[in-house]
PDB file of all heavy atoms in Angstrom:
ATOM      1  N   ILE A   5       0.044   6.272 -21.328  1.00 95.00           N
ATOM      2  CA  ILE A   5      -1.321   6.700 -21.610  1.00 95.00           C
ATOM      3  C   ILE A   5      -1.476   6.889 -23.117  1.00 95.00           C
ATOM      4  O   ILE A   5      -0.733   7.657 -23.728  1.00 95.00           O
ATOM      5  CB  ILE A   5      -1.637   8.023 -20.883  1.00 95.00           C
ATOM      6  CG1 ILE A   5      -1.459   7.834 -19.371  1.00 95.00           C
ATOM      7  CG2 ILE A   5      -3.032   8.518 -21.238  1.00 95.00           C
ATOM      8  CD1 ILE A   5      -1.581   9.123 -18.580  1.00 95.00           C
ATOM      9  N   LEU A   6      -2.427   6.195 -23.700  1.00 93.00           N
ATOM     10  CA  LEU A   6      -2.707   6.357 -25.127  1.00 93.00           C
ATOM     11  C   LEU A   6      -3.524   7.627 -25.344  1.00 93.00           C
ATOM     12  O   LEU A   6      -4.363   7.971 -24.513  1.00 93.00           O
ATOM     13  CB  LEU A   6      -3.452   5.155 -25.686  1.00 93.00           C
ATOM     14  CG  LEU A   6      -2.563   3.976 -26.125  1.00 93.00           C
ATOM     15  CD1 LEU A   6      -1.872   3.329 -24.959  1.00 93.00           C
ATOM     16  CD2 LEU A   6      -3.346   3.004 -26.933  1.00 93.00           C
ATOM     17  N   GLN A   7      -3.303   8.284 -26.467  1.00 89.00           N
ATOM     18  CA  GLN A   7      -4.006   9.530 -26.769  1.00 89.00           C
ATOM     19  C   GLN A   7      -5.340   9.325 -27.460  1.00 89.00           C
ATOM     20  O   GLN A   7      -6.246  10.141 -27.304  1.00 89.00           O
ATOM     21  CB  GLN A   7      -3.156  10.405 -27.693  1.00 89.00           C
ATOM     22  CG  GLN A   7      -1.947  10.980 -27.073  1.00 89.00           C
ATOM     23  CD  GLN A   7      -1.206  11.884 -28.063  1.00 89.00           C
ATOM     24  OE1 GLN A   7      -1.616  12.070 -29.203  1.00 89.00           O
ATOM     25  NE2 GLN A   7      -0.108  12.450 -27.612  1.00 89.00           N
ATOM     26  N   ASP A   8      -5.467   8.257 -28.223  1.00 87.00           N
ATOM     27  CA  ASP A   8      -6.625   8.129 -29.108  1.00 87.00           C
ATOM     28  C   ASP A   8      -7.774   7.305 -28.561  1.00 87.00           C
ATOM     29  O   ASP A   8      -8.811   7.188 -29.197  1.00 87.00           O
ATOM     30  CB  ASP A   8      -6.193   7.573 -30.460  1.00 87.00           C
ATOM     31  CG  ASP A   8      -5.571   6.187 -30.353  1.00 87.00           C
ATOM     32  OD1 ASP A   8      -5.230   5.763 -29.231  1.00 87.00           O
ATOM     33  OD2 ASP A   8      -5.415   5.535 -31.398  1.00 87.00           O
ATOM     34  N   ARG A   9      -7.611   6.734 -27.390  1.00 90.00           N
ATOM     35  CA  ARG A   9      -8.700   5.976 -26.753  1.00 90.00           C
ATOM     36  C   ARG A   9      -8.370   5.808 -25.276  1.00 90.00           C
ATOM     37  O   ARG A   9      -7.219   5.908 -24.885  1.00 90.00           O
ATOM     38  CB  ARG A   9      -8.909   4.629 -27.433  1.00 90.00           C
ATOM     39  CG  ARG A   9      -7.754   3.673 -27.330  1.00 90.00           C
ATOM     40  CD  ARG A   9      -8.063   2.390 -28.134  1.00 90.00           C
ATOM     41  NE  ARG A   9      -7.096   1.355 -27.860  1.00 90.00           N
ATOM     42  CZ  ARG A   9      -5.978   1.165 -28.557  1.00 90.00           C
ATOM     43  NH1 ARG A   9      -5.693   1.943 -29.572  1.00 90.00           N
ATOM     44  NH2 ARG A   9      -5.160   0.199 -28.242  1.00 90.00           N
ATOM     45  N   PRO A  10      -9.366   5.534 -24.433  1.00 93.00           N
ATOM     46  CA  PRO A  10      -9.106   5.380 -23.001  1.00 93.00           C
ATOM     47  C   PRO A  10      -8.423   4.032 -22.719  1.00 93.00           C
ATOM     48  O   PRO A  10      -9.084   3.017 -22.491  1.00 93.00           O
ATOM     49  CB  PRO A  10     -10.492   5.472 -22.370  1.00 93.00           C
ATOM     50  CG  PRO A  10     -11.427   5.048 -23.441  1.00 93.00           C
ATOM     51  CD  PRO A  10     -10.796   5.461 -24.738  1.00 93.00           C
ATOM     52  N   PHE A  11      -7.115   4.055 -22.755  1.00 95.00           N
ATOM     53  CA  PHE A  11      -6.329   2.828 -22.610  1.00 95.00           C
ATOM     54  C   PHE A  11      -4.992   3.182 -21.961  1.00 95.00           C
ATOM     55  O   PHE A  11      -4.311   4.106 -22.405  1.00 95.00           O
ATOM     56  CB  PHE A  11      -6.090   2.196 -23.982  1.00 95.00           C
ATOM     57  CG  PHE A  11      -5.453   0.837 -23.930  1.00 95.00           C
ATOM     58  CD1 PHE A  11      -6.234  -0.303 -23.905  1.00 95.00           C
ATOM     59  CD2 PHE A  11      -4.067   0.706 -23.904  1.00 95.00           C
ATOM     60  CE1 PHE A  11      -5.646  -1.561 -23.873  1.00 95.00           C
ATOM     61  CE2 PHE A  11      -3.474  -0.548 -23.864  1.00 95.00           C
ATOM     62  CZ  PHE A  11      -4.261  -1.683 -23.845  1.00 95.00           C
ATOM     63  N   ILE A  12      -4.646   2.437 -20.937  1.00 96.00           N
ATOM     64  CA  ILE A  12      -3.401   2.657 -20.207  1.00 96.00           C
ATOM     65  C   ILE A  12      -2.656   1.337 -20.086  1.00 96.00           C
ATOM     66  O   ILE A  12      -3.246   0.292 -19.806  1.00 96.00           O
ATOM     67  CB  ILE A  12      -3.680   3.231 -18.803  1.00 96.00           C
ATOM     68  CG1 ILE A  12      -4.159   4.672 -18.945  1.00 96.00           C
ATOM     69  CG2 ILE A  12      -2.460   3.146 -17.893  1.00 96.00           C
ATOM     70  CD1 ILE A  12      -4.489   5.351 -17.662  1.00 96.00           C
ATOM     71  N   GLU A  13      -1.350   1.411 -20.301  1.00 97.00           N
ATOM     72  CA  GLU A  13      -0.461   0.288 -20.020  1.00 97.00           C
ATOM     73  C   GLU A  13       0.211   0.602 -18.687  1.00 97.00           C
ATOM     74  O   GLU A  13       0.843   1.654 -18.539  1.00 97.00           O
ATOM     75  CB  GLU A  13       0.597   0.148 -21.112  1.00 97.00           C
ATOM     76  CG  GLU A  13       0.008  -0.171 -22.465  1.00 97.00           C
ATOM     77  CD  GLU A  13       1.051  -0.164 -23.569  1.00 97.00           C
ATOM     78  OE1 GLU A  13       2.263  -0.325 -23.278  1.00 97.00           O
ATOM     79  OE2 GLU A  13       0.654   0.004 -24.732  1.00 97.00           O
ATOM     80  N   HIS A  14       0.038  -0.288 -17.732  1.00 96.00           N
ATOM     81  CA  HIS A  14       0.563  -0.062 -16.377  1.00 96.00           C
ATOM     82  C   HIS A  14       1.594  -1.141 -16.069  1.00 96.00           C
ATOM     83  O   HIS A  14       1.254  -2.299 -15.890  1.00 96.00           O
ATOM     84  CB  HIS A  14      -0.584  -0.117 -15.371  1.00 96.00           C
ATOM     85  CG  HIS A  14      -0.168   0.107 -13.965  1.00 96.00           C
ATOM     86  ND1 HIS A  14      -0.999  -0.166 -12.912  1.00 96.00           N
ATOM     87  CD2 HIS A  14       0.977   0.579 -13.410  1.00 96.00           C
ATOM     88  CE1 HIS A  14      -0.384   0.126 -11.779  1.00 96.00           C
ATOM     89  NE2 HIS A  14       0.819   0.573 -12.068  1.00 96.00           N
ATOM     90  N   TYR A  15       2.860  -0.736 -16.025  1.00 97.00           N
ATOM     91  CA  TYR A  15       3.953  -1.651 -15.697  1.00 97.00           C
ATOM     92  C   TYR A  15       4.322  -1.446 -14.237  1.00 97.00           C
ATOM     93  O   TYR A  15       4.372  -0.308 -13.762  1.00 97.00           O
ATOM     94  CB  TYR A  15       5.181  -1.349 -16.562  1.00 97.00           C
ATOM     95  CG  TYR A  15       4.955  -1.531 -18.034  1.00 97.00           C
ATOM     96  CD1 TYR A  15       4.393  -0.527 -18.801  1.00 97.00           C
ATOM     97  CD2 TYR A  15       5.315  -2.714 -18.670  1.00 97.00           C
ATOM     98  CE1 TYR A  15       4.189  -0.681 -20.166  1.00 97.00           C
ATOM     99  CE2 TYR A  15       5.113  -2.884 -20.035  1.00 97.00           C
ATOM    100  CZ  TYR A  15       4.551  -1.857 -20.770  1.00 97.00           C
ATOM    101  OH  TYR A  15       4.350  -2.024 -22.118  1.00 97.00           O
ATOM    102  N   ARG A  16       4.594  -2.538 -13.546  1.00 95.00           N
ATOM    103  CA  ARG A  16       5.041  -2.417 -12.163  1.00 95.00           C
ATOM    104  C   ARG A  16       6.057  -3.497 -11.851  1.00 95.00           C
ATOM    105  O   ARG A  16       5.991  -4.612 -12.384  1.00 95.00           O
ATOM    106  CB  ARG A  16       3.877  -2.479 -11.188  1.00 95.00           C
ATOM    107  CG  ARG A  16       3.198  -3.822 -11.118  1.00 95.00           C
ATOM    108  CD  ARG A  16       2.105  -3.838 -10.046  1.00 95.00           C
ATOM    109  NE  ARG A  16       1.444  -5.112 -10.046  1.00 95.00           N
ATOM    110  CZ  ARG A  16       1.864  -6.183  -9.377  1.00 95.00           C
ATOM    111  NH1 ARG A  16       2.938  -6.126  -8.648  1.00 95.00           N
ATOM    112  NH2 ARG A  16       1.203  -7.322  -9.443  1.00 95.00           N
ATOM    113  N   LYS A  17       6.987  -3.150 -10.991  1.00 95.00           N
ATOM    114  CA  LYS A  17       8.026  -4.087 -10.577  1.00 95.00           C
ATOM    115  C   LYS A  17       7.563  -4.788  -9.308  1.00 95.00           C
ATOM    116  O   LYS A  17       7.141  -4.139  -8.351  1.00 95.00           O
ATOM    117  CB  LYS A  17       9.340  -3.324 -10.334  1.00 95.00           C
ATOM    118  CG  LYS A  17      10.505  -4.210  -9.993  1.00 95.00           C
ATOM    119  CD  LYS A  17      11.834  -3.479 -10.043  1.00 95.00           C
ATOM    120  CE  LYS A  17      11.917  -2.322  -9.110  1.00 95.00           C
ATOM    121  NZ  LYS A  17      13.276  -1.754  -9.021  1.00 95.00           N
ATOM    122  N   ASN A  18       7.646  -6.124  -9.295  1.00 93.00           N
ATOM    123  CA  ASN A  18       7.230  -6.863  -8.108  1.00 93.00           C
ATOM    124  C   ASN A  18       8.422  -7.090  -7.166  1.00 93.00           C
ATOM    125  O   ASN A  18       9.531  -6.633  -7.423  1.00 93.00           O
ATOM    126  CB  ASN A  18       6.516  -8.169  -8.482  1.00 93.00           C
ATOM    127  CG  ASN A  18       7.422  -9.191  -9.121  1.00 93.00           C
ATOM    128  OD1 ASN A  18       8.649  -9.095  -9.095  1.00 93.00           O
ATOM    129  ND2 ASN A  18       6.811 -10.210  -9.715  1.00 93.00           N
ATOM    130  N   GLU A  19       8.181  -7.825  -6.093  1.00 91.00           N
ATOM    131  CA  GLU A  19       9.205  -8.072  -5.080  1.00 91.00           C
ATOM    132  C   GLU A  19      10.410  -8.840  -5.625  1.00 91.00           C
ATOM    133  O   GLU A  19      11.501  -8.775  -5.076  1.00 91.00           O
ATOM    134  CB  GLU A  19       8.613  -8.853  -3.893  1.00 91.00           C
ATOM    135  CG  GLU A  19       7.462  -8.162  -3.189  1.00 91.00           C
ATOM    136  CD  GLU A  19       6.137  -8.353  -3.931  1.00 91.00           C
ATOM    137  OE1 GLU A  19       5.949  -9.369  -4.640  1.00 91.00           O
ATOM    138  OE2 GLU A  19       5.297  -7.444  -3.822  1.00 91.00           O
ATOM    139  N   SER A  20      10.229  -9.577  -6.710  1.00 93.00           N
ATOM    140  CA  SER A  20      11.314 -10.345  -7.334  1.00 93.00           C
ATOM    141  C   SER A  20      12.019  -9.553  -8.441  1.00 93.00           C
ATOM    142  O   SER A  20      12.761 -10.122  -9.227  1.00 93.00           O
ATOM    143  CB  SER A  20      10.757 -11.649  -7.926  1.00 93.00           C
ATOM    144  OG  SER A  20      10.128 -12.402  -6.939  1.00 93.00           O
ATOM    145  N   ASP A  21      11.744  -8.263  -8.514  1.00 92.00           N
ATOM    146  CA  ASP A  21      12.301  -7.378  -9.547  1.00 92.00           C
ATOM    147  C   ASP A  21      11.883  -7.773 -10.957  1.00 92.00           C
ATOM    148  O   ASP A  21      12.582  -7.496 -11.926  1.00 92.00           O
ATOM    149  CB  ASP A  21      13.827  -7.295  -9.452  1.00 92.00           C
ATOM    150  CG  ASP A  21      14.287  -6.469  -8.266  1.00 92.00           C
ATOM    151  OD1 ASP A  21      13.486  -5.646  -7.767  1.00 92.00           O
ATOM    152  OD2 ASP A  21      15.436  -6.639  -7.841  1.00 92.00           O
ATOM    153  N   GLU A  22      10.733  -8.407 -11.079  1.00 95.00           N
ATOM    154  CA  GLU A  22      10.158  -8.728 -12.391  1.00 95.00           C
ATOM    155  C   GLU A  22       9.132  -7.648 -12.717  1.00 95.00           C
ATOM    156  O   GLU A  22       8.411  -7.178 -11.840  1.00 95.00           O
ATOM    157  CB  GLU A  22       9.457 -10.085 -12.353  1.00 95.00           C
ATOM    158  CG  GLU A  22      10.372 -11.225 -12.005  1.00 95.00           C
ATOM    159  CD  GLU A  22       9.604 -12.499 -11.677  1.00 95.00           C
ATOM    160  OE1 GLU A  22       8.551 -12.416 -11.019  1.00 95.00           O
ATOM    161  OE2 GLU A  22      10.079 -13.557 -12.087  1.00 95.00           O
ATOM    162  N   TRP A  23       9.067  -7.274 -13.978  1.00 96.00           N
ATOM    163  CA  TRP A  23       8.107  -6.270 -14.406  1.00 96.00           C
ATOM    164  C   TRP A  23       6.855  -6.943 -14.936  1.00 96.00           C
ATOM    165  O   TRP A  23       6.923  -7.797 -15.817  1.00 96.00           O
ATOM    166  CB  TRP A  23       8.730  -5.361 -15.465  1.00 96.00           C
ATOM    167  CG  TRP A  23       9.681  -4.388 -14.841  1.00 96.00           C
ATOM    168  CD1 TRP A  23      11.000  -4.577 -14.584  1.00 96.00           C
ATOM    169  CD2 TRP A  23       9.361  -3.094 -14.354  1.00 96.00           C
ATOM    170  NE1 TRP A  23      11.532  -3.473 -13.974  1.00 96.00           N
ATOM    171  CE2 TRP A  23      10.544  -2.545 -13.828  1.00 96.00           C
ATOM    172  CE3 TRP A  23       8.202  -2.325 -14.327  1.00 96.00           C
ATOM    173  CZ2 TRP A  23      10.594  -1.262 -13.270  1.00 96.00           C
ATOM    174  CZ3 TRP A  23       8.251  -1.051 -13.783  1.00 96.00           C
ATOM    175  CH2 TRP A  23       9.434  -0.540 -13.262  1.00 96.00           C
ATOM    176  N   LEU A  24       5.715  -6.571 -14.375  1.00 96.00           N
ATOM    177  CA  LEU A  24       4.412  -7.093 -14.778  1.00 96.00           C
ATOM    178  C   LEU A  24       3.649  -5.973 -15.476  1.00 96.00           C
ATOM    179  O   LEU A  24       3.863  -4.795 -15.201  1.00 96.00           O
ATOM    180  CB  LEU A  24       3.637  -7.576 -13.559  1.00 96.00           C
ATOM    181  CG  LEU A  24       4.379  -8.567 -12.653  1.00 96.00           C
ATOM    182  CD1 LEU A  24       3.566  -8.853 -11.406  1.00 96.00           C
ATOM    183  CD2 LEU A  24       4.705  -9.839 -13.407  1.00 96.00           C
ATOM    184  N   ILE A  25       2.745  -6.360 -16.354  1.00 96.00           N
ATOM    185  CA  ILE A  25       1.966  -5.362 -17.083  1.00 96.00           C
ATOM    186  C   ILE A  25       0.476  -5.626 -16.908  1.00 96.00           C
ATOM    187  O   ILE A  25       0.039  -6.778 -16.861  1.00 96.00           O
ATOM    188  CB  ILE A  25       2.336  -5.331 -18.588  1.00 96.00           C
ATOM    189  CG1 ILE A  25       1.595  -4.212 -19.290  1.00 96.00           C
ATOM    190  CG2 ILE A  25       2.086  -6.669 -19.235  1.00 96.00           C
ATOM    191  CD1 ILE A  25       2.029  -3.965 -20.714  1.00 96.00           C
ATOM    192  N   ARG A  26      -0.272  -4.547 -16.781  1.00 96.00           N
ATOM    193  CA  ARG A  26      -1.737  -4.585 -16.765  1.00 96.00           C
ATOM    194  C   ARG A  26      -2.231  -3.634 -17.845  1.00 96.00           C
ATOM    195  O   ARG A  26      -1.660  -2.557 -18.026  1.00 96.00           O
ATOM    196  CB  ARG A  26      -2.292  -4.098 -15.425  1.00 96.00           C
ATOM    197  CG  ARG A  26      -2.164  -5.074 -14.304  1.00 96.00           C
ATOM    198  CD  ARG A  26      -2.863  -4.533 -13.082  1.00 96.00           C
ATOM    199  NE  ARG A  26      -1.926  -3.661 -12.388  1.00 96.00           N
ATOM    200  CZ  ARG A  26      -2.086  -3.228 -11.162  1.00 96.00           C
ATOM    201  NH1 ARG A  26      -3.160  -3.526 -10.481  1.00 96.00           N
ATOM    202  NH2 ARG A  26      -1.184  -2.454 -10.609  1.00 96.00           N
ATOM    203  N   PHE A  27      -3.258  -4.049 -18.545  1.00 97.00           N
ATOM    204  CA  PHE A  27      -3.902  -3.181 -19.523  1.00 97.00           C
ATOM    205  C   PHE A  27      -5.212  -2.710 -18.923  1.00 97.00           C
ATOM    206  O   PHE A  27      -6.024  -3.519 -18.475  1.00 97.00           O
ATOM    207  CB  PHE A  27      -4.151  -3.926 -20.836  1.00 97.00           C
ATOM    208  CG  PHE A  27      -2.877  -4.399 -21.481  1.00 97.00           C
ATOM    209  CD1 PHE A  27      -2.551  -5.744 -21.497  1.00 97.00           C
ATOM    210  CD2 PHE A  27      -2.008  -3.499 -22.065  1.00 97.00           C
ATOM    211  CE1 PHE A  27      -1.375  -6.188 -22.085  1.00 97.00           C
ATOM    212  CE2 PHE A  27      -0.831  -3.933 -22.666  1.00 97.00           C
ATOM    213  CZ  PHE A  27      -0.519  -5.274 -22.670  1.00 97.00           C
ATOM    214  N   ILE A  28      -5.420  -1.409 -18.909  1.00 96.00           N
ATOM    215  CA  ILE A  28      -6.605  -0.821 -18.297  1.00 96.00           C
ATOM    216  C   ILE A  28      -7.292  -0.001 -19.377  1.00 96.00           C
ATOM    217  O   ILE A  28      -6.666   0.875 -19.990  1.00 96.00           O
ATOM    218  CB  ILE A  28      -6.199   0.074 -17.107  1.00 96.00           C
ATOM    219  CG1 ILE A  28      -5.370  -0.749 -16.104  1.00 96.00           C
ATOM    220  CG2 ILE A  28      -7.416   0.671 -16.433  1.00 96.00           C
ATOM    221  CD1 ILE A  28      -4.493   0.067 -15.217  1.00 96.00           C
ATOM    222  N   TYR A  29      -8.563  -0.285 -19.621  1.00 94.00           N
ATOM    223  CA  TYR A  29      -9.237   0.407 -20.709  1.00 94.00           C
ATOM    224  C   TYR A  29     -10.693   0.657 -20.384  1.00 94.00           C
ATOM    225  O   TYR A  29     -11.296  -0.048 -19.568  1.00 94.00           O
ATOM    226  CB  TYR A  29      -9.104  -0.359 -22.027  1.00 94.00           C
ATOM    227  CG  TYR A  29      -9.479  -1.815 -21.936  1.00 94.00           C
ATOM    228  CD1 TYR A  29     -10.780  -2.227 -22.182  1.00 94.00           C
ATOM    229  CD2 TYR A  29      -8.535  -2.773 -21.580  1.00 94.00           C
ATOM    230  CE1 TYR A  29     -11.127  -3.557 -22.079  1.00 94.00           C
ATOM    231  CE2 TYR A  29      -8.882  -4.102 -21.474  1.00 94.00           C
ATOM    232  CZ  TYR A  29     -10.179  -4.489 -21.729  1.00 94.00           C
ATOM    233  OH  TYR A  29     -10.516  -5.817 -21.622  1.00 94.00           O
ATOM    234  N   GLY A  30     -11.225   1.691 -21.010  1.00 93.00           N
ATOM    235  CA  GLY A  30     -12.619   2.083 -20.817  1.00 93.00           C
ATOM    236  C   GLY A  30     -12.725   3.238 -19.829  1.00 93.00           C
ATOM    237  O   GLY A  30     -11.976   3.317 -18.864  1.00 93.00           O
ATOM    238  N   PHE A  31     -13.656   4.117 -20.076  1.00 93.00           N
ATOM    239  CA  PHE A  31     -13.813   5.303 -19.233  1.00 93.00           C
ATOM    240  C   PHE A  31     -14.153   4.975 -17.783  1.00 93.00           C
ATOM    241  O   PHE A  31     -13.839   5.743 -16.892  1.00 93.00           O
ATOM    242  CB  PHE A  31     -14.886   6.232 -19.819  1.00 93.00           C
ATOM    243  CG  PHE A  31     -14.456   6.903 -21.078  1.00 93.00           C
ATOM    244  CD1 PHE A  31     -15.051   6.584 -22.291  1.00 93.00           C
ATOM    245  CD2 PHE A  31     -13.452   7.855 -21.068  1.00 93.00           C
ATOM    246  CE1 PHE A  31     -14.658   7.217 -23.459  1.00 93.00           C
ATOM    247  CE2 PHE A  31     -13.047   8.489 -22.230  1.00 93.00           C
ATOM    248  CZ  PHE A  31     -13.651   8.166 -23.430  1.00 93.00           C
ATOM    249  N   GLU A  32     -14.789   3.861 -17.544  1.00 94.00           N
ATOM    250  CA  GLU A  32     -15.174   3.507 -16.170  1.00 94.00           C
ATOM    251  C   GLU A  32     -14.091   2.738 -15.425  1.00 94.00           C
ATOM    252  O   GLU A  32     -14.208   2.503 -14.222  1.00 94.00           O
ATOM    253  CB  GLU A  32     -16.482   2.710 -16.181  1.00 94.00           C
ATOM    254  CG  GLU A  32     -17.655   3.475 -16.782  1.00 94.00           C
ATOM    255  CD  GLU A  32     -17.846   4.856 -16.166  1.00 94.00           C
ATOM    256  OE1 GLU A  32     -17.813   4.976 -14.930  1.00 94.00           O
ATOM    257  OE2 GLU A  32     -18.024   5.823 -16.935  1.00 94.00           O
ATOM    258  N   ALA A  33     -13.023   2.367 -16.097  1.00 95.00           N
ATOM    259  CA  ALA A  33     -11.930   1.630 -15.452  1.00 95.00           C
ATOM    260  C   ALA A  33     -11.164   2.561 -14.509  1.00 95.00           C
ATOM    261  O   ALA A  33     -11.224   3.780 -14.614  1.00 95.00           O
ATOM    262  CB  ALA A  33     -10.997   1.061 -16.509  1.00 95.00           C
TER     263      ALA A  33
END
């Protein structure tokens, strides 16, 4: 979670043990 703006980096491990990333930003996200 970033402190200076509404922005989150979301890492998740999939079924193949690979890590994927999503960027989520904005107050309505």
Side-chain angles (χ1 to χ4, degrees):
I5 301 173
L6 275 67
Q7 290 182 0
D8 61 346
R9 64 184 191 269
F11 188 92
I12 289 179
E13 297 174 22
H14 180 193
Y15 298 84
R16 68 176 178 86
K17 184 168 60 171
N18 68 14
E19 301 81 28
S20 302
D21 287 339
E22 299 167 321
W23 284 87
L24 307 174
I25 185 172
R26 285 185 275 194
F27 298 108
I28 304 158
Y29 51 91
F31 290 112
E32 300 308 314

